[in-house]
Amino acid sequence: MNIGMILLIIFLPAVVMLAFSLIKKSGDKVSNKMSDKNFTVMLSDMVLWVGVFACLTASVVLLVFSFFSEELPHWIFYVTFGGFFWSGIYLILKTLNFKVIVKGENITVFSTFRKPYSFTFNEIVSAVRQVKKNQVKSERIVIRTVDGRKLIVESVEISYERFAKRIQAEVRSEYLVGFE
């Protein structure tokens, strides 16, 4: 198989998705005036930079070993570094696209790869708080709604604490699991 075709298969879809995400992101306006009733849960820009670093590193390694080595690398090399590249693309896309906007009683979810959807606190039928027993005690809340939608919000995201407090205050106690 031609090396140019392999690299095209790895890089072209990612570049197209990133271009569309950046165009979409440029039109979004996130307010800096957040309160306990109106806020946005989203990933930090640090995750974006980790994804950019992973993409750039994998790209450089792929290109250097493909064009400047005497022998063409084994296909496992391309699968491995293509995986690193696509992991970085996922982190970039998730940072650019994923957010949960809470305005009063309404919750609007902008997923990474799906259409946005909205629900209210009254439509939540299950909210499970899961805490890992690691050194940083990372946690997440898994929410299920009446119409079967699932939302996962993790503690590394901006405004997670506000969201957790609102869930605990607004959702009926029989639907809460893991909240003290």
Side-chain angles (χ1 to χ4, degrees), residues 52-117:
V52 168
F53 179 75
C55 282
L56 288 177
T57 304
S59 298
V60 167
V61 169
L62 278 167
L63 293 172
V64 167
F65 277 95
S66 295
F67 292 116
F68 297 113
S69 63
E70 290 183 25
E71 253 184 70
L72 199 59
H74 196 270
W75 65 270
I76 294 175
F77 169 81
Y78 291 104
V79 170
T80 303
F81 282 95
F84 284 127
F85 176 78
W86 279 100
S87 297
I89 291 294
Y90 175 75
L91 289 176
I92 293 169
L93 289 174
K94 181 141 179 152
T95 305
L96 292 175
N97 296 331
F98 176 79
K99 63 184 166 191
V100 178
I101 299 175
V102 178
K103 285 187 180 178
E105 294 298 314
N106 292 323
I107 303 168
T108 305
V109 179
F110 293 88
S111 180
T112 306
F113 298 110
R114 296 188 186 131
K115 285 181 14 180
Y117 61 93

Side-chain angles (χ1 to χ4, degrees), residues 131-176:
V131 180
K132 290 185 179 177
K133 294 182 175 147
N134 54 16
Q135 289 181 347
V136 292
K137 303 243 188 283
S138 55
E139 66 180 63
R140 68 185 195 165
I141 299 174
V142 180
I143 297 171
R144 296 193 188 274
T145 63
V146 172
D147 53 345
R149 298 212 184 248
K150 179 180 174 182
L151 169 65
I152 299 175
V153 179
E154 301 194 30
S155 60
V156 297
E157 295 166 349
I158 297 169
S159 296
Y160 170 81
E161 295 296 326
R162 279 187 174 145
F163 190 69
K165 286 179 188 174
R166 282 292 301 273
I167 291 292
Q168 195 168 8
E170 302 284 337
V171 177
R172 293 175 34 186
S173 60
E174 60 263 20
Y175 298 148
L176 299 176

